[in-house]
Amino acid sequence: SDKTSLYSGSPFSEIIELNVGGQVYVTRHKTLIAVQDSLLWNMFSKKSPKELARDSKGRFFLDRDGFLFRYILDYLRDLNLVLPDYFPEKSRLQREADFFQLRDLAKRLSPRMIKDNSMSEEISQSDTEDGAHSSGTMRSPSLDSRKSGYITIGYRGSYTIGRDIQTDAKFRRVARITVCGKTALAKEVFGDTLNESRDPDRPPERYTSRYYLKYNFLEQAFDKLTEAGFHMVACSSTGTCAYTSNDPNEDKIWTSYTEYVFCRE
C-alpha cells in the first residue's frame, strides 16, 4: 500500500516519542513505517495507539536495547546503515534487526555476508566475528595488531565507620566506574559492558572521559583489561572524612576518588 495514503489516514501523530529500554527517541511516524511488514510497521500502521504499551509519560514503550536502537532508527531513515569504525556489537545489532523483522538489515549484518557487503568497510577488521580470513582459517587478532595506549579506570567510593568499628564498618560502596582513554581502545576492552550514553557516537580515534561501566566490580574491570593485554602502571587516590551530624561521636563517612592507569605497549 502507498505510504502517503497510509500515513494520512493514521491515528498516530506526525511526531512519535518512544521509550526504548529507558532511552527516549523522537522521530517521525513515516520513519517507523518505512519498511513494510516489519515489527514497527505493524505496530504503527496496523494497530491503534490504545493497543500499544506506554510508559508513565505517555511514550510508546519497547523493552529492547535502548542504545542499539539508534542504529535501527538510522537504518529506517534512509535504508542505509553506517556503523562506527570499531563496532564490537555487530552480532547484538543483528539480533535486534531480527527482532524488528528488518530482514535486509539482518542479512547485511550476518557474518557470511559482511565480507561481500558494502558495509564491510564500515565495520572494524579486528572484529573476530567477521568470519574466516582469505586463508579460510579462523584466527583472532594477533598481539602485534593490537594498538598500544593507556586506559584510566576511576571510581568514587565511600564507607562509614561507626562507633563500634568492628561491626558497623561498611566498606567501598562504589557509585560508578568511569573509563577514560581512546574510544577504540575502550570499546575493544569492555565491549557491550561499556555504557556510552554520556558520549554517544564518539569517533574511534578521539578520547573520552565520559564512558562508564555497566557493573560496579573493580576486579571485573581489571580482568577485562588483563585479558586484553593491559597492565597497571600507576594508581592515585584522594579521600575526605565527614561526620553524619555535628556530634563527633556519630558515624564518620569517608569518601574517596581513586584512579588506576593501565597501559598496553
Side-chain angles (χ1 to χ4, degrees):
S1 61
D2 180 72
K3 290 180 188 174
T4 304
S5 61
L6 179 65
Y7 175 69
S8 62
S10 171
F12 294 93
S13 60
E14 180 184 1
I15 305 300
I16 302 290
E17 289 191 32
L18 301 171
N19 175 347
V20 185
Q23 299 295 308
V24 175
Y25 291 89
V26 181
T27 188
R28 293 183 179 275
H29 178 266
K30 65 180 182 180
T31 301
L32 297 175
I33 61 172
V35 177
Q36 190 167 350
D37 295 325
S38 67
L39 181 99
L40 291 171
W41 183 86
N42 278 292
M43 287 177 61
F44 290 95
S45 66
K46 296 297 184 182
K47 296 185 177 182
S48 69
K50 292 182 179 180
E51 294 179 84
L52 302 181
R54 295 177 183 253
D55 66 8
S56 60
K57 295 188 177 180
R59 307 184 188 98
F60 295 107
F61 179 74
L62 288 161
D63 190 16
R64 300 302 296 181
D65 190 310
F67 300 108
L68 290 178
F69 186 75
R70 67 175 180 261
Y71 299 110
I72 298 294
L73 204 56
D74 282 346
Y75 174 77
L76 291 174
R77 289 185 177 116
D78 56 11
L79 301 185
N80 190 29
L81 180 66
V82 178
L83 297 176
D85 290 336
Y86 182 80
F87 190 73
E89 299 185 88
K90 177 169 62 66
S91 61
R92 293 185 62 203
L93 181 57
Q94 183 187 5
R95 184 177 64 184
E96 295 301 297
D98 285 332
F99 174 82
F100 286 106
Q101 299 169 19
L102 299 170
R103 296 175 181 85
D104 182 63
L105 177 59
K107 183 179 179 181
R108 292 168 64 185
L109 286 165
S110 67
R112 291 182 180 180
M113 293 295 295
I114 201 66
K115 291 194 297 181
D116 300 326
N117 194 280
S118 60
M119 290 171 58
S120 60
E121 295 181 358
E122 300 161 8
I123 298 181
S124 171
Q125 296 300 316
S126 64
D127 192 335
T128 58
E129 295 175 345
D130 282 355
H133 290 261
S134 57
S135 62
T137 59
M138 292 289 290
R139 55 172 294 189
S140 59
S142 67
L143 292 175
D144 293 337
S145 67
R146 291 179 170 182
K147 292 185 178 180
S148 60
Y150 291 84
I151 289 180
T152 299
I153 299 296
Y155 83 91
R156 193 178 304 278
S158 66
Y159 59 90
T160 302
I161 297 181
R163 289 184 293 273
D164 183 353
I165 295 179
Q166 298 300 319
T167 59
D168 293 342
K170 298 178 181 179
F171 291 100
R172 211 179 74 176
R173 189 180 70 191
V174 179
R176 179 174 290 176
I177 300 175
T178 59
V179 178
C180 309
K182 187 174 287 188
T183 301
L185 284 179
K187 290 183 177 182
E188 175 198 338
V189 173
F190 297 107
D192 59 6
T193 65
L194 193 68
N195 192 324
E196 307 169 44
S197 61
R198 296 174 63 202
D199 199 1
D201 300 322
R202 189 74 169 172
E205 295 305 313
R206 299 291 295 275
Y207 290 82
T208 181
S209 61
R210 296 177 63 81
Y211 287 170
Y212 61 94
L213 299 179
K214 296 178 182 179
Y215 48 80
N216 291 330
F217 297 100
L218 280 171
E219 293 79 10
Q220 191 173 349
F222 294 167
D223 286 344
K224 287 277 190 182
L225 286 157
T226 301
E227 291 169 3
F230 284 81
H231 61 278
M232 191 186 300
V233 294
C235 172
S236 65
S237 182
T238 59
T240 58
C241 175
Y243 292 101
T244 57
S245 69
N246 293 328
D247 185 353
N249 294 319
E250 291 298 320
D251 294 351
K252 296 179 181 179
I253 298 179
W254 288 84
T255 59
S256 64
Y257 179 72
T258 306
E259 288 187 336
Y260 303 91
V261 182
F262 287 80
C263 173
R264 185 170 70 190
E265 299 175 348

